[in-house]
Amino acid sequence: MKKLLTGLVALGLILAGCSSTDDTSSSADLSEVKIGIIQYMQHDALDASYEGFVDTLVEAGVSEDNIDYQVAGGDQSNCTTISDKLVNDGNDLIYAIATPAAQAAQAATTDIPIVGSAITDYVDAGLAESNDAPGGNVTGASDLTPVAAQFDLMMELLPDTQSVAILYCGSETNSIFQGDIAVETAEELGLDYKVYTVSDTNDIDAVVNQIVTDGHDVVYIPTDNLLATYMSSVEAITSQYQIPCIVGEEGMVSNGGLATYGVNYYSLGVIAGEQALAILNGEATAAETPIEYLASEDCAMTINLTVAEKCGITISQEDYPDATFVE
């Protein structure tokens, strides 16, 4: 009996020790955690996703000195190099901004949790088993744009539209996904349409000039990283021929699009930051954290009055009291 009691006491101490260890590991000291960030390229939308994420983490106690921010410059090989570095540096979590960045990070590690943003569909991109239960080490926030609402805005601002050019980068998974939705929407509205794709910056001028030659009434561009970066190059051609562009997000409007009803990328970064904090604090795992989407109130209308004037379009600000107007 004495031996049995001694054994039970020892077992109790072991279990107590295990419980104490689990409690400690489940709640991180946020001032000590290391965060690696990989951003595919720089443009207004992706930059806003970065800012929303970092602001959320720093406010919660993460030291900005422990955040390693790397930009790949739109180069997939750079994404691979940066991802390997972030893994080798022993970061506790990786934040991946845009699909190519997340795909590279996922290829580099199956152990370190990855939170993404500015990614349209995680399943389609091969990052998750399902949007409700990702299943691996990747979760995040989706920037799935309200394509149907954007087409409705197009028809409201440009009621005589009959023919639409749908333009995006054919090598971006997220753009292809949105492009397919745009095709379905155009068909539902009974519009004539043609899909145009670019593969890199060298294609943009030639493809946009072809759109002009083909005589479309309007160009629709989803949240495409390449074209968001070079939106001013698109506008330099289209505005000459008074062909407006309806685009995927507000940064693209500021740089030459006519209008959007789109997602707020800062809010997207905030959502991703909240997911990251839950994972770092041991309250959740990437595998069990559903992909989150922006609420409708986080989508906003933005209209570029300068582009409207160039294209001969009259838009009254009084008619759109909730819109943001840029010039």
mmCIF file of all heavy atoms in Angstrom, residues 38 40 71-85 100-101 104-105:
data_model
loop_
_atom_site.group_PDB
_atom_site.id
_atom_site.type_symbol
_atom_site.label_atom_id
_atom_site.label_comp_id
_atom_site.label_asym_id
_atom_site.label_seq_id
_atom_site.Cartn_x
_atom_site.Cartn_y
_atom_site.Cartn_z
ATOM 1 N N ILE A 38 6.280 38.197 -45.381
ATOM 2 C CA ILE A 38 6.656 38.175 -46.783
ATOM 3 C C ILE A 38 5.521 38.780 -47.598
ATOM 4 O O ILE A 38 4.384 38.314 -47.524
ATOM 5 C CB ILE A 38 7.007 36.745 -47.270
ATOM 6 C CG1 ILE A 38 7.246 36.760 -48.792
ATOM 7 C CG2 ILE A 38 5.962 35.718 -46.872
ATOM 8 C CD1 ILE A 38 7.784 35.449 -49.340
ATOM 9 N N TYR A 40 4.361 39.939 -51.491
ATOM 10 C CA TYR A 40 4.705 39.607 -52.880
ATOM 11 C C TYR A 40 5.278 40.800 -53.636
ATOM 12 O O TYR A 40 6.295 40.690 -54.318
ATOM 13 C CB TYR A 40 3.457 39.059 -53.579
ATOM 14 C CG TYR A 40 3.675 38.683 -55.027
ATOM 15 C CD1 TYR A 40 4.720 37.834 -55.394
ATOM 16 C CD2 TYR A 40 2.837 39.167 -56.028
ATOM 17 C CE1 TYR A 40 4.920 37.486 -56.716
ATOM 18 C CE2 TYR A 40 3.027 38.824 -57.346
ATOM 19 C CZ TYR A 40 4.071 37.978 -57.688
ATOM 20 O OH TYR A 40 4.263 37.651 -59.009
ATOM 21 N N VAL A 71 9.964 42.129 -48.829
ATOM 22 C CA VAL A 71 9.149 42.287 -50.041
ATOM 23 C C VAL A 71 9.853 41.600 -51.202
ATOM 24 O O VAL A 71 11.050 41.811 -51.427
ATOM 25 C CB VAL A 71 8.907 43.775 -50.367
ATOM 26 C CG1 VAL A 71 8.048 43.916 -51.616
ATOM 27 C CG2 VAL A 71 8.240 44.478 -49.190
ATOM 28 N N ALA A 72 9.100 40.789 -51.947
ATOM 29 C CA ALA A 72 9.696 39.971 -53.008
ATOM 30 C C ALA A 72 9.774 40.671 -54.356
ATOM 31 O O ALA A 72 10.331 40.119 -55.311
ATOM 32 C CB ALA A 72 8.909 38.663 -53.148
ATOM 33 N N GLY A 73 9.202 41.861 -54.475
ATOM 34 C CA GLY A 73 9.290 42.597 -55.730
ATOM 35 C C GLY A 73 8.589 41.936 -56.898
ATOM 36 O O GLY A 73 8.964 42.151 -58.057
ATOM 37 N N GLY A 74 7.573 41.125 -56.584
ATOM 38 C CA GLY A 74 6.819 40.467 -57.645
ATOM 39 C C GLY A 74 7.547 39.315 -58.307
ATOM 40 O O GLY A 74 7.138 38.846 -59.374
ATOM 41 N N ASP A 75 8.603 38.826 -57.693
ATOM 42 C CA ASP A 75 9.430 37.759 -58.260
ATOM 43 C C ASP A 75 9.226 36.475 -57.447
ATOM 44 O O ASP A 75 9.506 36.447 -56.246
ATOM 45 C CB ASP A 75 10.901 38.184 -58.234
ATOM 46 C CG ASP A 75 11.802 37.217 -58.968
ATOM 47 O OD1 ASP A 75 11.785 36.018 -58.637
ATOM 48 O OD2 ASP A 75 12.550 37.658 -59.862
ATOM 49 N N GLN A 76 8.790 35.406 -58.120
ATOM 50 C CA GLN A 76 8.500 34.167 -57.405
ATOM 51 C C GLN A 76 9.751 33.538 -56.801
ATOM 52 O O GLN A 76 9.703 32.962 -55.704
ATOM 53 C CB GLN A 76 7.819 33.166 -58.341
ATOM 54 C CG GLN A 76 7.254 31.931 -57.634
ATOM 55 C CD GLN A 76 6.171 32.300 -56.628
ATOM 56 O OE1 GLN A 76 5.199 32.968 -56.965
ATOM 57 N NE2 GLN A 76 6.328 31.866 -55.377
ATOM 58 N N SER A 77 10.875 33.655 -57.493
ATOM 59 C CA SER A 77 12.110 33.092 -56.926
ATOM 60 C C SER A 77 12.512 33.848 -55.662
ATOM 61 O O SER A 77 13.046 33.258 -54.711
ATOM 62 C CB SER A 77 13.243 33.143 -57.961
ATOM 63 O OG SER A 77 13.552 34.477 -58.320
ATOM 64 N N ASN A 78 12.247 35.151 -55.629
ATOM 65 C CA ASN A 78 12.500 35.915 -54.404
ATOM 66 C C ASN A 78 11.590 35.456 -53.271
ATOM 67 O O ASN A 78 11.992 35.424 -52.105
ATOM 68 C CB ASN A 78 12.289 37.412 -54.644
ATOM 69 C CG ASN A 78 13.405 38.047 -55.438
ATOM 70 O OD1 ASN A 78 14.461 37.451 -55.616
ATOM 71 N ND2 ASN A 78 13.176 39.258 -55.943
ATOM 72 N N CYS A 79 10.346 35.105 -53.610
ATOM 73 C CA CYS A 79 9.425 34.576 -52.600
ATOM 74 C C CYS A 79 9.996 33.329 -51.947
ATOM 75 O O CYS A 79 9.929 33.163 -50.722
ATOM 76 C CB CYS A 79 8.069 34.253 -53.235
ATOM 77 S SG CYS A 79 7.042 35.683 -53.625
ATOM 78 N N THR A 80 10.571 32.464 -52.756
ATOM 79 C CA THR A 80 11.163 31.224 -52.239
ATOM 80 C C THR A 80 12.348 31.526 -51.323
ATOM 81 O O THR A 80 12.465 30.978 -50.222
ATOM 82 C CB THR A 80 11.614 30.332 -53.403
ATOM 83 O OG1 THR A 80 10.480 29.997 -54.217
ATOM 84 C CG2 THR A 80 12.261 29.054 -52.891
ATOM 85 N N THR A 81 13.223 32.423 -51.789
ATOM 86 C CA THR A 81 14.408 32.780 -50.998
ATOM 87 C C THR A 81 14.014 33.407 -49.665
ATOM 88 O O THR A 81 14.555 33.062 -48.604
ATOM 89 C CB THR A 81 15.298 33.754 -51.786
ATOM 90 O OG1 THR A 81 15.695 33.150 -53.021
ATOM 91 C CG2 THR A 81 16.532 34.135 -50.989
ATOM 92 N N ILE A 82 13.061 34.332 -49.708
ATOM 93 C CA ILE A 82 12.623 35.006 -48.483
ATOM 94 C C ILE A 82 11.963 34.014 -47.528
ATOM 95 O O ILE A 82 12.210 34.029 -46.318
ATOM 96 C CB ILE A 82 11.666 36.162 -48.822
ATOM 97 C CG1 ILE A 82 12.419 37.280 -49.540
ATOM 98 C CG2 ILE A 82 10.982 36.698 -47.562
ATOM 99 C CD1 ILE A 82 11.516 38.342 -50.137
ATOM 100 N N SER A 83 11.113 33.134 -48.066
ATOM 101 C CA SER A 83 10.425 32.153 -47.216
ATOM 102 C C SER A 83 11.421 31.253 -46.506
ATOM 103 O O SER A 83 11.281 30.978 -45.301
ATOM 104 C CB SER A 83 9.465 31.317 -48.068
ATOM 105 O OG SER A 83 8.437 32.122 -48.596
ATOM 106 N N ASP A 84 12.418 30.795 -47.226
ATOM 107 C CA ASP A 84 13.450 29.953 -46.606
ATOM 108 C C ASP A 84 14.164 30.706 -45.493
ATOM 109 O O ASP A 84 14.457 30.144 -44.425
ATOM 110 C CB ASP A 84 14.465 29.495 -47.658
ATOM 111 C CG ASP A 84 13.888 28.470 -48.630
ATOM 112 O OD1 ASP A 84 12.864 27.841 -48.291
ATOM 113 O OD2 ASP A 84 14.452 28.316 -49.733
ATOM 114 N N LYS A 85 14.447 31.982 -45.722
ATOM 115 C CA LYS A 85 15.119 32.796 -44.704
ATOM 116 C C LYS A 85 14.258 32.934 -43.456
ATOM 117 O O LYS A 85 14.748 32.780 -42.327
ATOM 118 C CB LYS A 85 15.432 34.186 -45.264
ATOM 119 C CG LYS A 85 16.033 35.149 -44.232
ATOM 120 C CD LYS A 85 16.189 36.547 -44.799
ATOM 121 C CE LYS A 85 16.824 37.502 -43.781
ATOM 122 N NZ LYS A 85 16.025 37.641 -42.542
ATOM 123 N N PRO A 100 1.089 34.286 -54.186
ATOM 124 C CA PRO A 100 2.425 33.704 -54.424
ATOM 125 C C PRO A 100 3.288 33.680 -53.171
ATOM 126 O O PRO A 100 4.082 32.748 -52.974
ATOM 127 C CB PRO A 100 3.017 34.631 -55.497
ATOM 128 C CG PRO A 100 1.840 35.254 -56.174
ATOM 129 C CD PRO A 100 0.824 35.428 -55.084
ATOM 130 N N ALA A 101 3.151 34.689 -52.323
ATOM 131 C CA ALA A 101 3.922 34.720 -51.077
ATOM 132 C C ALA A 101 3.504 33.588 -50.150
ATOM 133 O O ALA A 101 4.347 32.913 -49.539
ATOM 134 C CB ALA A 101 3.737 36.071 -50.383
ATOM 135 N N ALA A 104 4.744 30.175 -51.439
ATOM 136 C CA ALA A 104 6.166 29.975 -51.178
ATOM 137 C C ALA A 104 6.413 29.651 -49.708
ATOM 138 O O ALA A 104 7.223 28.777 -49.375
ATOM 139 C CB ALA A 104 6.947 31.224 -51.591
ATOM 140 N N ALA A 105 5.721 30.344 -48.818
ATOM 141 C CA ALA A 105 5.886 30.079 -47.385
ATOM 142 C C ALA A 105 5.416 28.676 -47.032
ATOM 143 O O ALA A 105 6.057 27.968 -46.240
ATOM 144 C CB ALA A 105 5.114 31.120 -46.580
#
